[in-house]
């Protein structure tokens, strides 16, 4: 158990709909990352938040948005869903204050989104 | 930009040794990480090399050569439970953050 909690675990919805994925980072971690993993793709970095502020953006579509709240949990909002958005969405956390950077991210179990 | 290359598949038998290579291209370098992911599960951290040389953690070792932009993960005394995907990753230095960019992964199949 990494300590990172993601909900929901599974989600089935229709094209054109909007969904929200939630992530609670490991206790004390200030950074939250969102990754997308499709069947034939590796882990694609979407976005990072650090202590409530956006820190880095990857290949995130304009239809997608995210935020990190004062309690450090994060939400990823996916709108106008398309069939191609079906994927596993992972949240990861890192960066306890004062901890040495070891290249380690702690991943949640993921949210599997199916768009029909 | 940054890119990582690793073989798509590797097969081996129980008890054997297997090496998964990773070459990377990046304008700067902050270290090479390795992750394991069982089918449908969460990626889990295996090792991190910031400096040249070999890092050993039990049956797994990781090697880095910064001059060659190359690293590998060495798995010894293979067990069936080692069947998984293995990803190498580098820090995304195009950004101000600390996100990792992952290779496409190597699927390791261990047979008896």
């Amino acid at each position: 158990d990494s300590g990172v909690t993601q909900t929901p675990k599974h989600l089935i919805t229709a094209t054109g709909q909007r969904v929200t994925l939630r992530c609670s980072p490991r206790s004390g971690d200030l950074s939250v990352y969102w990754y997308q993993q499709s069947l034939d793709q590796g882990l694609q970095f979407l976005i990072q938040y650090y202590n409530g502020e956006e820190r880095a953006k990857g290949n995130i579509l304009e239809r997608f948005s995210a935020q990190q709240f004062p309690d450090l949990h994060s939400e990823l909002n996916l709108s106008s869903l398309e069939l191609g958005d079906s994927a596993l969405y992972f949240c990861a956390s890192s960066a306890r204050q004062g901890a040495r950077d070891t290249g380690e991210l702690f991943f949640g179990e993921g949210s599997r989104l199916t768009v029909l | 930009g940054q890119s990582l290359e690793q073989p798509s598949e590797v097969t081996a038998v129980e008890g054997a040794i297997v090496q998964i290579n990773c070459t990377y291209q990046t304008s700067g370098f902050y270290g090479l990480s390795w992750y394991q992911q069982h089918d449908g599960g969460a990626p889990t951290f295996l090792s991190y090399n910031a400096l040249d040389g070999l890092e050993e953690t039990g049956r797994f070792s990781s090697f880095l050569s910064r001059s060659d932009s190359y690293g590998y993960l060495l798995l010894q005394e293979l067990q069936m439970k080692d069947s998984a995907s293995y990803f190498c990753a580098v820090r995304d230095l195009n950004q101000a953050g600390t996100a990792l960019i992952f290779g496409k992964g190597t699927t390791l199949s261990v047979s008896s």
Side-chain angles (χ1 to χ4, degrees):
Chain A
D1 183 4
S2 68
V4 178
T5 304
Q6 288 188 247
T7 57
K9 288 186 170 28
H10 301 275
L11 193 54
I12 301 174
T13 189
T15 54
Q17 295 298 305
R18 170 190 167 96
V19 299
T20 297
L21 309 180
R22 181 188 167 99
C23 169
S24 293
R26 241 180 16 142
S27 176
D29 280 356
L30 300 173
S31 274
V32 167
Y33 313 79
W34 287 97
Y35 285 85
Q36 180 192 55
Q37 187 174 41
S38 303
L39 264 178
D40 56 350
Q41 297 287 326
L43 289 153
Q44 301 288 318
F45 168 61
L46 297 178
I47 198 164
Q48 177 197 356
Y49 280 83
Y50 178 83
N51 205 18
E53 293 188 4
E54 182 183 303
R55 181 60 67 93
K57 250 183 179 178
N59 300 319
I60 188 166
L61 300 171
E62 286 191 10
R63 299 183 286 109
F64 296 0
S65 65
Q67 55 184 326
Q68 186 179 29
F69 296 87
D71 66 353
L72 300 178
H73 91 271
S74 177
E75 292 180 357
L76 178 67
N77 300 297
L78 315 174
S79 61
S80 302
L81 285 168
E82 302 174 0
L83 295 178
D85 297 328
S86 295
L88 252 179
Y89 290 85
F90 285 104
C91 169
S93 73
S94 73
R96 282 178 177 160
Q97 270 193 327
R100 187 170 64 91
D101 185 2
T102 60
E104 181 173 9
L105 302 184
F106 296 86
F107 282 82
E109 294 296 320
S111 293
R112 183 175 294 279
L113 174 66
T114 302
V115 182
L116 300 175
Chain B
Q2 293 164 273
S3 65
L4 301 103
E5 293 289 331
Q6 50 181 131
S8 58
E9 291 183 25
V10 173
T11 59
V13 296
E14 274 187 303
I17 299 172
V18 73
Q19 178 174 311
I20 299 174
N21 299 321
C22 174
T23 57
Y24 58 86
Q25 286 188 325
T26 176
S27 54
F29 183 74
Y30 198 80
L32 185 70
S33 301
W34 288 93
Y35 284 76
Q36 179 192 60
Q37 184 183 30
H38 285 99
D39 195 27
T44 56
F45 174 80
L46 291 177
S47 68
Y48 173 71
N49 294 69
L51 303 175
D52 290 351
L54 193 68
E55 294 277 346
E56 297 181 71
T57 310
R59 294 188 297 115
F60 293 1
S61 303
S62 57
F63 172 82
L64 175 66
S65 169
R66 287 175 297 171
S67 61
D68 295 321
S69 297
Y70 163 76
Y72 66 71
L73 181 69
L74 190 73
L75 298 87
Q76 303 181 75
E77 300 173 18
L78 281 173
Q79 302 175 10
M80 298 289 285
K81 67 178 182 179
D82 298 328
S83 293
S85 292
Y86 293 84
F87 296 87
C88 56
V90 294
R91 179 66 53 77
D92 181 1
L93 294 177
N94 290 322
Q95 306 268 4
T98 51
L100 295 180
I101 303 301
F102 287 82
K104 289 193 180 298
T106 299
T107 300
L108 170 64
S109 299
V110 180
S111 58
S112 56

